[in-house]
């Protein structure tokens, strides 16, 4: 069973300060404290080899399920509007991708007391946490000499994926543009990690936002004035398209219009074979949490293996768009409400963690077509102070390539801590 392990730090009172100094000297992660509190745990999460194997196999099965899901939608495009209510520019992203959606993804998995593994969602759009996954395990491994690092090959697998997609030739260095929201700093450590890894392996790397993109007369994609061969996209698909409120009483977005010119520049260049995009824009659909409701509503469309994956790993998930929401009032403790593209705690409402008044107000104010309801489940407790352990398993090209653990006092990410994750040697 997964357990907590203390490292062989000589003076534990000063250990975090020493660790934070190492982190800052590395130059990638610049926030070892967050809101005045330690962001990381020096205690490690130790998995058995069987647990790691089970988590990795679950992640790969779920990745295959999502791939089959995209093939179903390609054959049945009417679902884009009738079920997912995609906007015109969201549909443009989907059709321009021709069903391609995956390069690197992160599955949020939980170990349960009954031995089951539960997946609450997959981030196939702009997965983050890669810097912590690699650096945290590397920096603290010396304190846990009896265990193995499951992320030792993460960086090399990521680089092989990029080389394969870009068809990199060492004699012809490729230029890669990392496109991200430059006004936000939360994922800057991941951006800097990518930049470092790629630069050290012969790629020319430029950083910029969608607003820095353009297309020349030969349909080459330019970042500033430099031609790109490949884009690493870390700008959310729902930000490229129309922005629509998800609450009945919320004001319209200040910038509701799609990023038409940057998006069309990419699509033109990609269609002409001048650039490739990771992750592809097909993630507009796989990132949409309605996909999990679709699994249950149309399970008959899936293969027997995918049906087994749905039953084995997903809590029951329902779309709210066609349901009588009053049915959920009396079952508050059984459900979790999530917006279809949300990734913030404010857009995840756990029934058992809120009052009856908040639950009722939420159901009254949400716009149903942009929300799902997911059955609540209890995960195993590893850390007494941070009992909820979210295992983020990364897929690179469909293959499990790394894992990190985020520990929380509740089922949302508020006050979450990231811990190194190792496995038993025997």
């Amino acid at each position: 069973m997964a357990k907590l392990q203390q490292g062989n730090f000589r003076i534990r009172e000063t250990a975090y300060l020493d660790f934070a100094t190492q982190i800052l000297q590395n130059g990638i992660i610049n926030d070892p404290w967050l809101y005045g509190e330690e962001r990381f745990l020096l205690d490690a999460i130790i998995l058995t080899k069987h647990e790691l194997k089970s988590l990795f196999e679950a992640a790969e099965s779920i990745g295959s399920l999502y791939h089959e899901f995209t093939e179903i939608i390609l054959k049945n495009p009417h679902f884009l509007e009738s079920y997912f209510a995609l906007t015109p520019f969201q549909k443009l992203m989907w059709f321009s991708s021709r069903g391609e959606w995956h390069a690197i993804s992160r599955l949020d998995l939980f170990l349960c007391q009954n031995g089951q593994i539960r997946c609450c969602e997959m981030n196939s759009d702009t997965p983050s946490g890669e810097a912590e996954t690699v650096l945290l395990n590397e920096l603290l491994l010396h304190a846990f000499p009896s265990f193995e690092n499951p992320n030792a090959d993460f960086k090399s697998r990521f680089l092989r994926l990029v080389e394969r997609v870009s068809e990199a030739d060492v004699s012809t260095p490729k230029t890669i543009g990392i496109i991200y929201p430059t006004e936000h700093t939360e994922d800057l450590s991941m951006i800097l990690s990518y930049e470092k890894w790629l630069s050290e392996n012969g790629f020319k790397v430029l950083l910029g936002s969608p607003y820095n993109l353009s297309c020349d007369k030969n349909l080459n994609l330019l970042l500033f004035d430099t031609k790109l061969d490949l884009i690493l996209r870390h700008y959310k698909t729902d930000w490229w398209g129309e922005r629509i409120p998800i609450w009945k009483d919320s004001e319209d977005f200040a910038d509701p219009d799609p990023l038409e010119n940057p998006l069309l520049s990419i699509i033109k260049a990609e269609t002409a074979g001048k650039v490739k995009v990771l992750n592809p824009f097909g993630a507009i659909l796989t990132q949409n949490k309605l996909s999990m409701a679709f699994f249950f509503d149309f399970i008959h469309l899936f293969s027997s293996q995918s049906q087994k994956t749905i039953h084995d790993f997903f809590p029951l998930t329902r779309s709210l768009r066609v349901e009588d929401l009053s049915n959920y009032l009396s079952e508050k403790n059984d459900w979790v409400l999530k917006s279809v593209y949300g990734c913030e705690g404010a857009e995840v409402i756990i029934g058992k963690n809120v009052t009856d008044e908040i639950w009722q107000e939420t159901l009254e104010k949400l716009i149903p077509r942009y929300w799902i309801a997911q059955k609540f489940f209890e995960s195993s407790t590893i850390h007494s102070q941070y009992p909820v352990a979210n295992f983020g398993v990364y897929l690179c090209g469909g293959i499990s390539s790394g894992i990190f653990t985020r520990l929380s006092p509740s089922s949302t990410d508020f006050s979450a801590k990231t811990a190194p994750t190792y496995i038993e040697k025997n």
Side-chain angles (χ1 to χ4, degrees):
M1 182 67 185
K3 61 185 179 182
L4 199 68
Q5 179 75 29
Q6 288 193 344
N8 56 1
F9 300 101
R10 289 186 178 181
I11 306 175
R12 200 162 183 81
E13 290 75 14
T14 61
Y16 194 85
L17 181 58
D18 294 339
F19 165 73
T21 300
Q22 280 186 286
I23 281 276
L24 293 171
Q25 288 175 343
N26 187 276
I28 298 296
I29 297 176
N30 62 6
D31 52 356
W33 287 275
L34 196 60
Y35 306 120
E37 294 195 4
E38 297 173 357
R39 183 181 161 202
F40 303 100
L41 289 179
L42 300 188
D43 296 330
I45 301 302
I46 307 299
L47 298 172
T48 66
K49 287 193 173 182
H50 174 72
E51 287 172 328
L52 183 72
K53 182 173 183 288
S54 297
L55 288 166
F56 276 11
E57 288 179 348
E60 291 177 10
S61 294
I62 294 167
S64 296
L65 165 66
Y66 269 94
H67 188 69
E68 185 173 332
F69 161 66
T70 62
E71 293 178 330
I72 289 171
I73 300 301
L74 282 172
K75 294 176 183 176
N76 301 274
H78 64 88
F79 284 124
L80 297 173
E81 191 163 332
S82 65
Y83 193 87
F84 292 95
L86 295 192
T87 66
F89 271 82
Q90 288 174 339
K91 285 190 281 189
L92 174 63
M93 283 184 264
W94 167 255
F95 284 120
S96 71
S97 74
R98 297 177 295 279
E100 293 185 2
W101 62 276
H102 173 65
I104 182 169
S105 303
R106 192 192 72 235
L107 285 297
D108 289 342
L109 304 179
F110 297 81
L111 294 173
C112 300
Q113 291 285 3
N114 57 9
Q116 285 185 315
I117 292 172
R118 279 285 177 260
C119 175
C120 71
E121 61 185 72
M122 176 177 70
N123 190 332
S124 58
D125 191 11
T126 56
S128 59
E130 290 88 332
E132 293 85 349
T133 300
V134 173
L135 288 177
L136 191 60
N137 273 27
E138 286 181 351
L139 289 176
L140 293 177
L141 184 59
H142 68 92
F144 301 92
S146 300
F147 304 102
E148 295 180 353
N149 180 7
N151 301 331
D153 297 327
F154 184 98
K155 180 169 64 174
S156 62
R157 290 181 178 179
F158 167 77
L159 288 169
R160 285 199 298 270
L161 171 70
V162 173
E163 289 169 355
R164 184 169 69 249
V165 172
S166 66
E167 299 173 351
D169 181 345
V170 292
S171 64
T172 309
K174 299 289 183 178
T175 300
I176 295 179
I178 302 178
I179 306 302
Y180 71 106
T182 52
E183 69 275 23
H184 298 307
T185 60
E186 302 96 283
D187 294 334
L188 186 57
S189 59
M190 187 206 73
I191 302 301
L192 294 176
S193 292
Y194 281 170
E195 181 185 30
K196 181 180 179 181
W197 298 347
L198 293 164
S199 297
E200 290 175 346
N201 283 268
F203 291 96
K204 180 180 179 181
V205 183
L206 299 176
L207 307 183
S209 81
Y211 300 98
N212 306 130
L213 293 170
S214 61
C215 199
D216 68 16
K217 62 181 181 180
N218 296 317
L219 299 182
N220 294 307
L221 186 67
L222 307 179
L223 180 57
F224 302 106
D225 294 319
T226 302
K227 175 182 172 295
L228 298 179
D229 300 297
L230 186 141
I231 282 181
L232 285 183
R233 180 184 60 80
H234 195 73
Y235 198 96
K236 300 177 186 299
T237 46
D238 60 307
W239 290 359
W240 291 87
E242 302 90 333
R243 304 195 69 184
I244 301 173
I246 61 172
W247 301 100
K248 293 175 183 175
D249 62 347
S250 64
E251 296 180 1
D252 290 338
F253 284 100
D255 53 348
D257 296 330
L259 302 185
E260 183 173 354
N261 290 335
L263 180 59
L264 291 179
S265 293
I266 295 175
I267 290 175
K268 288 176 184 177
E270 189 175 24
T271 302
K274 297 298 184 72
V275 75
K276 295 183 179 179
V277 181
L278 300 182
N279 281 333
F281 280 108
I284 187 67
L285 199 60
T286 56
Q287 183 67 25
N288 190 312
K289 296 184 186 70
L290 272 171
S291 58
M292 295 183 287
F294 186 92
F295 296 162
F296 289 94
D297 286 343
F298 295 95
I299 195 168
H300 61 280
L301 298 179
F302 291 86
S303 65
S304 58
Q305 180 57 52
S306 287
Q307 290 182 28
K308 183 177 186 302
T309 297
I310 294 168
H311 287 305
D312 284 352
F313 301 122
F314 283 91
L316 177 64
T317 307
R318 293 298 188 204
S319 165
L320 297 187
R321 55 190 286 277
V322 294
E323 294 198 35
D324 182 355
L325 299 190
S326 63
N327 294 335
Y328 292 98
L329 285 173
S330 61
E331 301 177 354
K332 176 177 77 74
N333 292 347
D334 295 334
W335 294 97
V336 178
L337 302 177
K338 299 179 179 182
S339 63
V340 296
Y341 284 115
C343 60
E344 304 296 334
E347 296 177 16
V348 177
I349 295 87
I350 301 168
K352 68 177 298 183
N353 290 356
V354 300
T355 64
D356 290 347
E357 291 75 19
I358 291 176
W359 184 253
Q360 181 172 349
E361 184 180 12
T362 300
L363 288 169
E364 289 173 353
K365 291 186 174 181
L366 60 79
I367 300 176
R369 66 179 176 273
Y370 300 128
W371 291 79
I372 62 166
Q374 195 171 69
K375 272 284 189 180
F376 178 82
F377 60 87
E378 294 278 2
S379 60
S380 298
T381 297
I382 301 174
H383 192 291
S384 58
Q385 188 177 356
Y386 303 97
V388 180
N390 178 350
F391 296 98
V393 178
Y394 290 89
L395 296 179
C396 281
I399 305 299
S400 295
S401 302
I403 184 171
F404 85 134
T405 307
R406 183 170 291 150
L407 297 164
S408 305
S410 67
S411 298
T412 61
D413 281 346
F414 297 122
S415 303
K417 309 284 187 183
T418 303
T421 307
Y422 302 114
I423 56 174
E424 296 177 348
K425 287 186 176 180
N426 297 317

